[in-house]
Amino acid sequence: MKDILWLIQNTLSVTFRKKKNIILYLCMPLIGIFISLLVYGGDQKAILHVGIVNQDNSEIASDTIKFLKGLENVKVVEIPNAKTKDKIISGDVDSVITFEKGYSESVLSGNPAHIQITSIKGAQITGFVKSYLYQYVDNISTISIAAAGNQQTFKQMYHDFQQTNYKLTTHSLEDTSKNKNMTNQTIGFLIMIMLMSAGNMSEIILLDKENRTYFRLLSTPINARKYLLANVSVNMIIMTIQVLITLTIMKILFNIGISMSFWQAAFVMILFSFISVGLNLVIVAFSNSRSAAGAMQNLIITPTVMISGCFWPVEVMPKTLQKIADFLPQRWTLATLTKLQEGNSFSSLSLNFMILIAFAAAFFLIAVYRFSRNNSTQNFV
Amino acid sequence: MNVLEIKNLTKKFSDFIAVDNMSLTVAEGEIFGFLGANGAGKSTTINMIAGLLRSNEGVINILGKNAAKNSRFAKMNIGMVPQDLAIYEDMTAYENVKFFAGLYGLRGQELNERVEEALEFVGLQDKHKSYPNSFSGGMKRRLNIACAIAHRPKLIIMDEPTVGIDPQSRNYILNSVRKLNEMGCTIIYTSHYMEEVEEICSRIAIIDHGKIIAEGTKEQLKSIITNTKDLWIEVKSTEKVNVESIKAINGVEAVQIDENLIKINSDTGVNNLNKIIEHFINSHLEIRSLQEKAPNLETVFLTLTGRNLRDQ
Ligand SMILES: Nc1ncnc2c1ncn2[C@@H]1O[C@H](COP(=O)(O)OP(=O)(O)OP(=O)(O)O)[C@@H](O)[C@H]1O
Ligand SMILES: [Mg+2]
């Protein structure tokens, strides 16, 4: 045990004395945060400018506009019809919502229509407003259907609904698609960096063999098993640090609210660390040089990271690729985190955890089997 | 007490027998030399002693204990200097020695002292903070040794520690081997260099094709072949030399060509000097000098194995 600790300590100190490694292992994971800040806009309290064109001029339409004005992070300006395009192009507003004539009738008839949403920045920007707006409109439709044509009942219910709704409108962006996307992006990048780091650290095994230091180590009280254990430990230490740094900075400094508990997210990512070490040990066990291992890493890690939705949502990919993604541990890691974000309880996700653990166990078994075979053919004790 | 006992040791690499039923005993305080040509099985034997290779058959005892069953004990008492350099390029000389010594459980003040001592021993005390990539081949070899001695093992195994280095480093290494021995270490020393083995080893085993073909002090080994002598004839050019026809001369045992020297090993009981010189004259070989040599280990080796120690 003492010798394993000595080995771990030495590997860490040699690794982190190189600037290159500090950048790779400790700074690179944060790049995901910067990317998602760039892509999705950094400030959580960013104001969404929405232009409203009201062609309906009914009570329901103006209540709807009031509802939108009440949303946090949304600034509503009413604009004349003709200026829609100009306003968007000039960047005065991020999106324009048009209530066409007939809007209020369609809502009351239980079949909402005549709403137009225009945006040039794409779905991410409008998604949040859209989801709230549709929810609101659906509710009014439901009330209308429930009232079954009775004006009095409708007025009463509508009034009550407006009252409660104002209390609800202080919802912030917490659980919006934007936030989910930012988390996915950051964690997706972290996953890739973790796989690369574990790849590098596992290659030390091959480097030691190439430099013959491995054989010298085996002539000391270290044996092959202890050596492997030390390597896995170093890997785990580095990846745990990466996870903690990334999550901390996400949570505190950049204020990207990961809408789940810090430790739950950390738990999932540490499960993934085991998968990452396991996978890279398999790669190392099957390669006899560092260049072979490097090639295998590129062949395996890069495509699987892309397919499993670490860089973009899986939903944008063709169905076949999505099916393949279901067999990838990175996908399961992200999916588990998403479920946590969606408010599923920790205990309800035990199946997900089991699957992640199974991935790790499978990789470790394959690697250990292969290593022991290597050793018996080359007869290293 | 015997530091090392090997009984009926055999190692096969698939069908190839690298070490063949070898038995050997090394007593405390010896400098024991392994002499053998390339591929003779020296490193294979040494790797089994150091616990790096598993034997197919046979027993190895270190300080009286079965090494396979007491692998930690055996490893703690052995310092292995591998044939190929095994040092970390991204660690300083000091850190290299400290790292390996630490694996043997040394810590703190004691560790630092032992590291200093080991570096001083190999003459690298001024190079604490230098990285091996700034070292000459000889300095790297010395560091390679320092990494194996800091934990003060009872048995130090050196696999060709002087291969490919400058004479100065070589002398340094030979002297440190002697010093280590005086301090009580038992040493197993492998080399291609006959002179080295002859100079420092108290006992020598000549290994060929995985077998010990002769064993003893250098005097004992030489006495095996005192019935032969060496004749060194220097010629202007060896192009026209026909080794087979020289061997055909009565009494000639072995012939070896070393640059412009033709080394003829011949039976002392046969007076064939005239015949040999006659052969050279008839072959139009211009003789530049002629020397008679007393037998040395090289001749012993040559006569016993029919092979040269080093690949030509
Ligand atoms: N891992 C291995 N697999 C197969 N054959 C091997 C292996 N290691 C050594 N051998 C063979 O065993 C024989 C003995 O090798 P060994 O390295 O012990 O020789 P050596 O006496 O140390 O030679 P050298 O002076 O060149 O170091 C050689 O023929 C070598 O090819
Ligand atoms: Mg050798």
Side-chain angles (χ1 to χ4, degrees), chain B residues 286-304:
Chain B
E286 191 181 317
I287 297 179
R288 286 193 161 170
S289 72
L290 193 147
Q291 268 181 295
E292 245 192 56
K293 288 269 178 188
N296 62 9
L297 277 184
E298 194 125 19
T299 25
V300 177
F301 190 84
L302 190 65
T303 6
L304 288 175

Side-chain angles (χ1 to χ4, degrees), chain A residues 41-75:
Chain A
D43 193 354
Q44 186 179 256
K45 297 281 184 280
I47 300 293
L48 195 60
H49 292 268
V50 177
I52 302 276
V53 181
N54 190 350
Q55 298 170 343
D56 194 53
N57 290 322
S58 64
E59 192 198 341
I60 293 197
S62 47
D63 279 345
T64 312
I65 293 165
K66 233 188 263 167
F67 163 76
L68 288 172
K69 282 180 177 165
L71 285 176
E72 222 177 66
N73 310 337
V74 175
K75 188 150 174 58

Side-chain angles (χ1 to χ4, degrees), chain B residues 69-241:
Chain B
K69 289 181 189 145
N70 304 281
S71 114
R72 197 184 158 83
F73 170 82
K75 285 172 163 189
M76 291 294 286
N77 283 295
I78 293 178
M80 168 82 173
V81 182
Q83 175 167 0
D84 302 294
L85 286 175
I87 48 181
Y88 288 99
E89 293 287 339
D90 47 9
M91 281 156 65
T92 63
Y94 189 87
E95 287 166 338
N96 263 291
V97 180
K98 185 172 173 178
F99 169 62
F100 285 109
L103 290 173
Y104 292 91
L106 294 170
R107 292 289 184 279
Q109 185 61 30
E110 191 188 13
L111 175 61
N112 289 329
E113 279 168 18
R114 297 287 185 84
V115 175
E116 294 282 356
E117 180 189 286
L119 282 171
E120 207 174 308
F121 215 91
V122 297
L124 291 176
Q125 63 274 27
D126 310 330
K127 299 285 177 187
H128 274 185
K129 294 212 171 91
S130 311
Y131 286 88
N133 57 17
S134 68
F135 284 5
S136 70
M139 284 156 79
K140 284 186 190 174
R141 286 265 156 209
R142 275 142 65 186
L143 179 58
N144 201 33
I145 294 175
C147 291
I149 61 175
H151 63 289
R152 289 196 188 151
K154 292 247 164 51
L155 175 63
I156 298 175
I157 306 176
M158 297 184 163
D159 198 353
E160 305 197 25
T162 55
V163 104
I165 59 170
D166 56 292
Q168 196 193 341
S169 283
R170 189 167 163 177
N171 279 335
Y172 213 108
I173 289 176
L174 291 182
N175 280 332
S176 31
V177 171
R178 277 199 205 92
K179 260 199 292 176
L180 282 168
N181 183 244
E182 280 159 19
M183 286 164 59
C185 289
T186 307
I187 290 155
I188 294 180
Y189 192 95
T190 303
S191 180
H192 279 150
Y193 298 102
M194 199 64 69
E195 318 84 66
E196 278 181 9
V197 173
E198 204 169 345
E199 196 180 324
I200 63 167
C201 293
S202 54
R203 227 148 51 88
I204 298 156
I206 296 181
I207 299 175
D208 199 33
H209 297 296
K211 286 193 171 105
I212 296 181
I213 53 170
E215 189 194 329
T217 62
K218 49 192 170 221
E219 288 73 27
Q220 286 169 332
L221 288 178
K222 278 178 197 167
S223 72
I224 301 175
I225 54 149
T226 39
N227 48 355
T228 65
K229 65 181 181 207
D230 261 0
L231 193 62
W232 288 16
I233 301 174
E234 194 192 347
V235 291
K236 196 173 174 200
S237 145
T238 53
E239 265 169 45
K240 281 181 277 179
V241 175

Side-chain angles (χ1 to χ4, degrees), chain A residues 50-52 60-69 71 74 76 95-99 103 107 112-118 126-141 161 165 169:
Chain A
V50 177
I52 302 276
I60 293 197
S62 47
D63 279 345
T64 312
I65 293 165
K66 233 188 263 167
F67 163 76
L68 288 172
K69 282 180 177 165
L71 285 176
V74 175
V76 171
S95 102
V96 171
I97 301 176
T98 309
F99 297 102
Y103 162 74
V107 172
H114 301 290
I115 308 174
Q116 289 247 326
I117 299 182
T118 328
T126 47
F128 158 69
V129 186
K130 220 172 173 174
S131 60
Y132 273 103
L133 178 60
Y134 286 173
Q135 177 99 46
Y136 175 84
V137 172
D138 275 347
N139 286 340
I140 300 174
S141 283
F161 174 69
N165 209 42
T169 50

Side-chain angles (χ1 to χ4, degrees), chain A residues 208-239:
Chain A
D208 271 342
K209 286 191 179 173
E210 280 168 26
N211 288 344
R212 316 286 304 174
T213 38
Y214 179 68
F215 306 104
R216 174 168 229 149
L217 282 170
L218 295 191
S219 79
T220 73
I222 289 283
N223 57 29
R225 224 173 316 122
K226 287 182 181 173
Y227 176 81
L228 209 56
L229 189 62
N231 185 276
V232 171
S233 309
V234 170
N235 258 315
M236 287 305 298
I237 291 170
I238 290 181
M239 278 187 289

Side-chain angles (χ1 to χ4, degrees), chain A residues 377-380, chain B residues 11-14 16-19 34-47 53 83 159-160 163 190-192 207 209-210 309 311:
Chain A
T377 49
Q378 286 166 34
N379 285 283
F380 299 119
Chain B
K11 177 71 199 174
K12 293 182 189 136
F13 293 110
S14 52
F16 178 76
I17 301 177
V19 174
F34 272 17
L35 207 54
N38 287 112
K42 304 180 296 290
S43 296
T44 308
T45 309
I46 278 175
N47 287 341
L53 269 177
Q83 175 167 0
D159 198 353
E160 305 197 25
V163 104
T190 303
S191 180
H192 279 150
I207 299 175
H209 297 296
L309 257 181
D311 288 335

